[in-house]
Amino acid sequence: MEKPTMVGYILDQGRALRQSFAQRACFVNPMVELFQQHDIRKIYFLGSGTSYHASLSFKNWFEQFIPVEADVVIPTVFTHYTQINNNQIYKPEQILVVGISQSGTSVSTVEAMRKAKSEGYLTVALTESLNSLITREVDVVVPLTCGKEEIPIETRGYIITLLTGYLWAVEIAGALGRLNSIQLQQKLDDAQTMLAHFDELTAEVQLWIDRNQPELLNMERGHIAAYGTHYPTALEGVLKMYETFHKPLSAYELEELIHGPQMAFDEKTYLYFIASNEFERSRIPLFLDWIKENEVTEHVFVFYHDQQTTSPKDLHFHSPIAQDLSPLAFVVPFQLMAARNCEAIGYDTSVYPPKRRAFAHKKTEE
């Protein structure tokens, strides 16, 4: 049996996405039924690390398609600091708390879900491990259909979590009449088309890395910048790069990059920009012109969709991307860059660093 690798899990994402889409009833129906049976007005999405980043996309999709108010809260903050329903607008049964933990063993998420249930809120756990600790603390357990990842770095799990949140949002919207049957089917068709071509999209990223890897390997520090929809993508990109390649990066909402951080730019700064739609593509040239005029750095990479003229340093996706699902596409460059850079320098991402143990997860019985 081959040893599992980070690259291997990333290259398997297309298959996993198509399989999850085909069996979506198992994770969509429980959420649809919850919204049909309860007058849910407020949602808290809880998760740490990768699950937190996915939750930020969940918030965007739920508020786009469903008449609810959604918040994303770090589990420890939820347990010890958040004043839930502080203005008493909602009844407890109108508040839903969703805990996301791929392994089901995240200590802080388990504790937060225990608190939420004890205070009378509806609770859901989204987890790959259906007999894990978190499943004992919630009303409804929903399967995360990513399959177990046998390495510390979560990649396939993040992609499948994103797809899960999107399908929750549009299918609930359809059940509640916020999308009619034609609109819902169009959303599903667009998603299915994108997933059918996901391996081609991944191959485009591979070619981009082939062109640029010598430069990418020399990165010492950098920034990932994106607009609102892709700010979670930037955060996830920073996490993937830092926990593997061990080079410091930071994530910025793109316009915030010019409110101070630009003062620290120099010739060693690497900049990665995400431009997924027409508005974002119209703004990026302003930043590129400023960087060029001021001779700030030559290490600038832009990830585009529907952009015809790019430099060799830029990545232009030709594969079909459903606009609402673009976070699935634009995280892949950061995943593969992290994995392939580590392979190139001989760093094994399949194990924890020597003489170090993880302590964010509880593996034993309480």
Side-chain angles (χ1 to χ4, degrees):
M1 182 177 178
E2 288 188 13
K3 179 181 178 180
T5 66
M6 186 177 175
V7 169
Y9 281 118
I10 296 168
L11 297 183
D12 186 51
Q13 289 178 153
R15 178 210 60 80
L17 285 165
R18 292 186 289 273
Q19 178 176 300
S20 292
F21 184 87
Q23 63 187 57
R24 62 189 180 278
C26 73
F27 58 81
V28 166
N29 289 356
M31 286 294 284
V32 169
E33 290 169 6
L34 204 60
F35 273 78
Q36 289 175 325
Q37 295 168 4
H38 300 274
D39 180 28
I40 296 171
R41 302 292 184 90
K42 174 77 177 185
I43 306 177
Y44 290 94
F45 292 112
L46 311 182
S48 294
T50 285
S51 296
Y52 175 76
H53 304 156
S55 294
L56 292 170
S57 288
F58 281 30
K59 170 183 168 64
N60 293 336
W61 289 322
F62 269 68
E63 291 189 334
Q64 177 182 348
F65 292 111
I66 306 170
V68 294
E69 185 179 291
D71 277 340
V72 179
V73 185
I74 293 169
T76 302
V77 174
F78 182 87
T79 301
H80 298 288
Y81 299 100
T82 300
Q83 302 301 313
I84 307 168
N85 200 23
N86 200 35
N87 51 16
Q88 298 297 302
I89 290 178
Y90 308 108
K91 299 175 183 177
E93 61 269 23
Q94 291 178 314
I95 297 175
L96 172 64
V97 183
V98 179
I100 304 172
S101 175
Q102 183 172 333
S103 68
T105 59
S106 174
V107 173
S108 59
T109 308
V110 170
E111 290 177 351
M113 298 311 294
R114 183 180 298 128
K115 173 187 176 178
K117 187 175 181 181
S118 71
E119 296 190 4
Y121 308 119
L122 294 169
T123 53
V124 169
L126 175 63
T127 181
E128 189 275 330
S129 182
L130 301 182
N131 294 306
S132 57
L133 295 175
I134 198 171
T135 64
R136 307 172 193 175
E137 309 296 342
V138 298
D139 301 305
V140 178
V141 177
V142 179
L144 178 61
T145 55
C146 61
K148 186 174 178 59
E149 290 183 278
E150 301 287 351
I151 65 174
I153 313 300
E154 296 175 351
T155 51
R156 190 175 66 190
Y158 179 72
I159 287 279
I160 300 301
T161 302
L162 287 180
L163 179 66
T164 300
Y166 177 75
L167 292 176
W168 277 358
V170 297
E171 294 270 21
I172 292 168
L176 298 182
R178 303 289 294 192
L179 292 175
N180 62 39
S181 59
I182 296 174
Q183 292 170 323
L184 174 59
Q185 190 59 52
Q186 186 62 59
K187 294 293 184 186
L188 297 176
D189 289 346
D190 290 346
Q192 192 166 21
T193 298
M194 177 179 171
L195 302 187
H197 294 273
F198 206 84
D199 296 333
E200 299 165 30
L201 182 152
T202 303
E204 290 177 317
V205 177
Q206 294 273 51
L207 290 174
W208 172 77
I209 294 175
D210 290 341
R211 287 198 310 270
N212 294 285
Q213 190 165 43
E215 184 175 0
L216 297 174
L217 284 170
N218 285 324
M219 185 188 74
E220 295 183 11
R221 59 182 179 274
H223 306 286
I224 304 173
Y227 281 99
T229 303
H230 280 286
Y231 180 62
T233 308
L235 289 170
E236 180 65 10
V238 166
L239 176 59
K240 289 286 98 64
M241 290 291 292
Y242 195 24
E243 68 181 338
T244 58
F245 196 46
H246 301 173
K247 306 296 183 181
L249 295 99
S250 57
Y252 285 97
E253 200 284 331
L254 200 145
E255 301 288 339
E256 292 301 303
L257 198 67
I258 58 175
H259 291 273
Q262 86 284 356
M263 301 286 286
F265 293 173
D266 60 26
E267 68 277 2
K268 292 185 178 181
T269 301
Y270 278 56
L271 298 173
Y272 304 91
F273 296 106
I274 297 174
S276 69
N277 59 37
E278 185 176 351
F279 166 70
E280 295 166 11
R281 291 191 297 273
S282 71
R283 297 292 293 167
I284 292 294
L286 302 177
F287 291 86
L288 299 183
D289 288 345
W290 179 86
I291 292 167
K292 185 176 181 180
E293 289 169 7
N294 291 273
E295 300 181 348
V296 175
T297 179
E298 295 182 353
H299 307 298
V300 182
F301 306 86
V302 186
F303 303 149
Y304 292 104
H305 184 228
D306 288 340
Q307 173 76 21
Q308 297 306 316
T309 21
T310 61
S311 83
K313 292 186 181 183
D314 298 337
L315 169 61
H316 168 213
F317 285 117
H318 296 82
S319 302
I321 296 175
Q323 183 58 49
D324 291 332
L325 277 175
S326 60
L328 276 71
F330 283 88
V331 74
V332 177
F334 301 108
Q335 292 178 329
L336 266 176
M337 184 173 18
R340 288 191 52 185
N341 279 4
C342 287
E343 282 191 346
I345 64 173
Y347 181 77
D348 188 355
T349 57
S350 68
V351 296
Y352 278 100
K355 299 181 180 179
R356 193 174 305 173
R357 64 179 179 84
F359 63 94
H361 298 266
K362 185 176 180 63
K363 299 295 186 182
T364 57
E365 295 289 330
E366 289 188 318

